[in-house]
Amino acid sequence: NFLNSPDVTIPTVTEMNADLPLFILNTYKNFYNREPNEFELWQFTNLISSDPNITPELVYYAFMTSNEYRYY
């Protein structure tokens, strides 16, 4: 339900791809309340830029279902 809420602002694919490092940084801060380390930044940048089917909704869903997010 979180992703369907009208109160949630999810970036578009164009906005995500316009500044991928900033999108990843903001996503980590929003979900994990921390900044990504260098490997995490590289890994997500590589993953998102190499697969055109990845959308911000998919990234958000992955973060929301992660063990780290559930822990906090």
Side-chain angles (χ1 to χ4, degrees):
N1 288 333
F2 173 76
L3 294 177
N4 295 325
S5 172
D7 299 328
V8 176
T9 304
I10 301 174
T12 64
V13 173
T14 304
E15 292 170 336
M16 175 182 74
N17 290 325
D19 194 348
L20 203 47
L22 180 62
F23 169 76
I24 296 166
L25 176 69
N26 288 337
T27 302
Y28 266 85
K29 285 182 177 180
N30 287 336
F31 288 97
Y32 296 160
N33 202 26
R34 66 175 179 87
E35 294 185 5
N37 63 36
E38 289 298 317
F39 176 73
E40 292 166 331
L41 185 60
W42 173 84
Q43 183 180 24
F44 270 100
T45 301
N46 187 47
L47 177 71
I48 294 170
S49 61
S50 67
D51 187 348
N53 296 315
I54 294 180
T55 63
E57 290 86 0
L58 288 173
V59 175
Y60 279 19
Y61 184 77
F63 273 73
M64 289 176 8
T65 57
S66 72
N67 287 336
E68 184 172 349
Y69 182 71
R70 284 188 258 165
Y71 180 77
Y72 295 107

